[in-house]
Amino acid sequence: MEPKWIQLPRLGDDRGGLSLAEGGQHAPFEIARVYWIYKTGAEVARGFHAHKELEQLAIAISGSCKMLLDNGSSKVKVTLDDPTRALFVGPGVWHEMSDFSRGCVLLVLASQKYDEADYIRDYDQFLQSYQ
Ligand code: TYD
C-alpha cells in the first residue's frame, strides 16, 4: 500500500520552526481529539490495531519513529521524522509503531473521540474484514 503523506505549512523563520494543521484543511477531517505518545523506550512497539471508522494524522513533532501500515493486502514501513509532514492513517489500516528515538513525541490528530468499539485489536479478525 502507498502511505498518504500530507505536507503541512512551514512558517518557521530565523526565530525557529512553526508548523500547523487545521481541521478540515490540512487534516481531511474535523479534529475531535488530540493525543501524543512520548517517553517510549527504543525497544517498545505499540499500536497493533486498526480502526473501523477513525481517521488520524500522525506527526513526529520531535525525534523519529517508524510505522508499519498494512491494509490487509500489502504492507509498508515508513519513518516519521519531520514535524512538517503528517502521515494519514485511515480506517482499515493495521498499524504498528516502533523504533522510537530518545525524546520522540508522536502527535496524533483524530477525527473522533476515543471509542474502544472502533478498534480491531485482533490481527486475524482484521484480515477477515479487510483482506
Ligand atoms: P492503546 O490503544 O493501547 O495505545 P497504542 O495503540 O498507541 O499502543 O492505548 C492505551 C490505553 O489508553 C488504552 O487503555 C486505551 C486508552 N486510550 C484512551 O483512553 N484514549 C485515547 O485517546 C487513546 C489513544 C487511548
Side-chain angles (χ1 to χ4, degrees):
M1 64 174 289
E2 279 296 313
K4 183 176 172 189
W5 293 100
I6 295 171
Q7 182 62 54
L8 303 173
R10 291 191 188 103
L11 304 181
D13 54 28
D14 54 9
R15 297 170 297 172
L18 196 166
S19 195
L20 65 122
E22 291 189 358
Q25 190 169 349
H26 313 103
F29 49 81
E30 292 302 330
I31 298 164
R33 176 166 54 106
V34 179
Y35 64 92
W36 44 97
I37 294 169
Y38 59 101
K39 287 189 181 171
T40 309
E43 72 295 348
V44 169
R46 57 184 307 165
F48 296 90
H49 62 253
H51 288 281
K52 297 172 187 169
E53 293 183 3
L54 189 71
E55 298 178 272
Q56 302 190 98
L57 273 193
I59 308 155
I61 55 172
S62 182
S64 65
C65 66
K66 293 189 176 169
M67 196 181 301
L68 175 88
L69 303 171
D70 175 355
N71 64 6
S73 302
S74 65
K75 303 178 186 186
V76 64
K77 196 169 198 174
V78 300
T79 300
L80 294 106
D81 61 0
D82 180 346
T84 73
R85 205 159 79 126
L87 178 67
F88 178 78
V89 182
V93 176
W94 185 268
H95 49 286
E96 304 174 4
M97 292 88 83
S98 64
D99 300 272
F100 288 84
S101 72
R102 193 175 169 82
C104 176
V105 181
L106 184 65
L107 180 72
V108 184
L109 314 178
S111 64
Q112 296 174 13
K113 293 186 179 168
Y114 175 75
D115 176 10
E116 184 60 35
D118 189 67
Y119 281 70
I120 302 171
R121 293 190 184 271
D122 181 87
Y123 189 68
D124 290 335
Q125 189 192 334
F126 164 72
L127 288 181
Q128 279 171 21
S129 301
Y130 293 101
Q131 203 171 33

